[in-house]
Amino acid sequence: MNYQETIEYLFHKLPMFSRLGSAAIKKDLTNTRLLCEHLGNPQHYFRSIHVAGTNGKGSVSHMLASILQTAGYKTGLYTSPHLYDFRERIRLNGMMVEEDYVIDFVARIKPLIETIEPSFFEITVAMAFDFFAHSKVDIAIIEVGLGGRLDSTNIITPELSVITNIGWDHMNMLGNTLEAIAAEKAGIIKPGIPVVVGETVPETHPVFQRISQEKAAPLYLAYDRFQTIGHQEENDFLKLEIRDADKSSTSTYYSQLKGIYQTRNVCTVLQAIKSLPGFNISDATIQEGIRTVVTRTGLQGRWEVIHRKPDVVLEVAHNEDGIRQMVTHLKDMKYEHLHIIIGTVKDREIEKILALLPADASYYFTEAHIPRALQAVTLQEKARAFQLKGSVYNHVNDALQQALIESGLNDLILVCGSIFLVAEVNKSLQLNVS
């Protein structure tokens, strides 16, 4: 098979979460272990940081990778899902895995695929581990796909575990209380391995304390040491003033990731780097890694500006907590009128998301072209109950073209609600950002 045929095989032969939802999830680690045993257990041959959480885990993973790259370490990065290219999931020093590696890997394990019938995600995890071991990385940042305890990535023994936060998402698979969701995410905590938690709430704090104590894993709460005391946008960066309580000092950081919610993620990253055993990374390196995260690692879709006058922003926020943080950021923005292009998937608590959105915006209801997508007409009907009004469009790019026609130069157009919707934006038609 050539590369395109290989990708088609992966996308259509294997159960894929973006298509099927929870039906694609294998609720044990058996297949991942079988795949990795077949490959010689590559997960044993590189050091790693394991990152879980409801929101922010992608941003945190990319920032950690950028800092370690800046420090001169050969750094692997595994994240999901991808936006535009499958190879975004597996990176080495910011560069996507080569097409030839993907072709060769699938050819090598195709007989086993046909025998054990793994999921798409299980295959991509095994591919990433194999690639990182083959590349002899100094360290790899491994982002959890969903949950933690039974996630396919959870066969590694990392140097450090990181949990960004706990919120309401995937309750049909992780539990109907914050305590239950936290316990699933805390399943990545390993005996004796330090764990950093970015945020807690009264329901989740005792869960992390209990599980870390049971496993004799040192627990570091990022907010105990690092607090953001000021932030503002400056020259296309988010400027942050962050206090380090341990040093009684304040430092300035500039982030290419501009959403205000990144203030929490940066504090989590700072605590993670300070808690990472065996790595001595200077403050200047940390600052540079955060400042250049998009350039170094290729992260997209996090308050990503693709057009000016009017501003067009891509934002992958898609659950209740993510949308709440997005709306908080909007309140700090200056614009004349807000246009929101939105689409989501069926297995979300749609009403809770719609209740957070501003009623004075113009709405453009659309949908991603995946089976899990909620029909745009249904989304429009649900939105009426919250006084959110707008028209339906068959494709996000049609919605975006109409929003550009209707917008003034000082308006803001925001595309949000689904990672898969953002992935269908044709940026080549819109880009005018220098």
Side-chain angles (χ1 to χ4, degrees):
M1 293 187 292
N2 61 27
Y3 178 71
Q4 191 55 45
E5 290 168 339
T6 300
I7 292 300
E8 289 295 317
Y9 174 80
L10 291 175
F11 284 1
H12 299 292
K13 170 69 176 178
L14 308 176
M16 191 175 180
F17 184 70
S18 62
R19 292 201 321 268
L20 305 177
S22 58
I25 301 296
K26 305 292 182 69
K27 296 184 178 181
D28 63 64
L29 303 177
T30 302
N31 280 347
T32 308
R33 294 191 190 281
L34 288 172
L35 288 164
C36 286
E37 285 172 8
H38 179 77
L39 297 164
N41 285 313
Q43 73 276 14
H44 296 161
Y45 293 95
F46 58 87
R47 292 183 290 180
S48 62
I49 301 174
H50 206 186
V51 183
T54 299
N55 291 301
K57 59 183 183 293
S59 296
V60 166
S61 295
H62 278 262
M63 281 191 273
L64 289 172
S66 182
I67 291 167
L68 289 159
Q69 287 171 223
T70 304
Y73 293 104
K74 193 175 188 180
T75 306
L77 175 62
Y78 175 75
T79 57
S80 63
H82 63 274
L83 284 176
Y84 305 105
D85 188 325
F86 166 80
R87 297 178 302 133
E88 294 169 23
R89 294 169 178 257
I90 304 171
R91 294 181 182 267
L92 177 62
N93 285 344
M95 302 300 293
M96 294 187 292
V97 61
E98 300 90 345
E99 290 184 359
D100 286 348
Y101 199 96
V102 177
I103 295 168
D104 174 70
F105 177 85
V106 174
R108 278 191 285 137
I109 66 162
K110 191 175 179 183
L112 185 59
I113 292 175
E114 303 291 341
T115 300
I116 68 173
E117 299 181 342
S119 70
F120 173 86
F121 189 75
E122 288 167 339
I123 289 293
T124 62
V125 168
M127 185 187 302
F129 292 174
D130 186 72
F131 179 67
F132 296 149
H134 173 81
S135 302
K136 295 182 170 59
V137 299
D138 296 316
I139 191 164
I141 316 303
I142 308 296
E143 180 195 9
V144 167
L146 192 153
R149 182 175 64 94
L150 297 177
D151 187 77
S152 297
T153 62
N154 201 29
I155 65 168
I156 58 175
T157 302
E159 307 297 307
L160 177 73
S161 302
V162 179
I163 302 171
T164 57
N165 53 44
I166 302 299
W168 298 104
D169 201 9
H170 299 299
M171 285 83 77
N172 58 324
M173 289 172 280
L174 301 180
N176 291 315
T177 67
L178 290 176
E179 292 92 337
I181 297 170
E184 287 296 316
K185 307 271 186 187
I188 71 166
I189 299 174
K190 303 295 191 301
I193 303 298
V195 55
V196 168
V197 175
E199 303 171 58
T200 64
V201 294
E203 295 93 331
T204 64
H205 186 269
V207 176
F208 294 129
Q209 277 195 321
R210 173 178 59 79
I211 294 176
S212 61
Q213 288 173 357
E214 289 172 354
K215 297 189 176 181
L219 174 63
Y220 299 95
L221 302 173
Y223 54 81
D224 279 349
R225 177 169 177 179
F226 295 100
Q227 299 91 35
T228 302
I229 58 175
H231 62 81
Q232 65 183 63
E233 282 202 32
E234 183 176 300
N235 298 325
D236 267 344
F237 290 90
L238 179 64
K239 180 182 178 182
L240 303 168
E241 300 292 333
I242 296 180
R243 178 171 175 77
D244 183 340
D246 283 10
K247 295 182 177 180
S248 298
S249 63
T250 301
S251 298
T252 301
Y253 298 87
Y254 291 87
S255 172
Q256 284 184 304
L257 303 177
K258 289 177 286 186
I260 288 173
Y261 52 83
Q262 298 293 352
T263 58
R264 304 172 186 176
N265 292 334
V266 170
C267 289
T268 303
V269 166
L270 295 176
Q271 182 64 69
I273 290 294
K274 298 300 182 183
S275 305
L276 180 60
F279 292 78
N280 187 15
I281 299 175
S282 70
D283 291 339
T285 297
I286 296 170
Q287 289 170 318
E288 179 65 9
I290 293 171
R291 190 183 70 82
T292 58
V293 56
V294 173
T295 305
R296 288 183 191 273
T297 70
L299 182 60
Q300 302 176 84
R302 277 69 174 180
W303 205 264
E304 180 184 3
V305 180
I306 65 168
H307 190 283
R308 294 291 192 188
K309 293 190 178 300
D311 285 355
V312 176
V313 175
L314 306 183
E315 173 53 61
V316 297
H318 57 276
N319 55 37
E320 181 184 351
D321 285 353
I323 296 294
R324 181 180 289 109
Q325 292 171 19
M326 182 193 78
V327 170
T328 299
H329 184 63
L330 282 171
K331 291 176 181 176
D332 274 10
M333 299 289 296
K334 293 180 180 179
Y335 50 81
E336 286 188 3
H337 186 66
L338 177 62
H339 305 256
I340 296 182
I341 299 169
I342 187 168
T344 186
V345 294
K346 299 170 185 174
D347 49 359
R348 299 274 177 223
E349 294 197 75
I350 308 300
E351 288 78 8
K352 290 185 177 180
I353 290 173
L354 294 172
L356 297 169
L357 295 173
D360 57 353
S362 297
Y363 285 86
Y364 306 74
F365 301 103
T366 185
E367 61 194 77
H369 291 79
I370 59 171
R372 279 179 65 213
L374 182 70
Q375 286 190 339
V377 171
T378 303
L379 181 60
Q380 181 192 44
E381 291 171 356
K382 290 179 178 291
R384 285 198 189 103
F386 299 91
Q387 288 74 53
L388 309 180
K389 299 175 183 178
S391 300
V392 167
Y393 298 85
N394 291 327
H395 200 287
V396 65
N397 291 302
D398 296 335
L400 186 47
Q401 286 299 314
Q402 187 60 36
L404 285 165
I405 290 170
E406 296 181 8
S407 296
L409 292 179
N410 296 317
D411 287 0
L412 174 63
I413 302 171
L414 178 62
V415 183
C416 65
S418 166
I419 293 172
F420 310 107
L421 186 75
V422 169
E424 292 186 7
V425 172
N426 188 339
K427 291 197 288 187
S428 66
L429 296 178
Q430 318 300 340
L431 276 171
N432 72 348
V433 178
S434 59

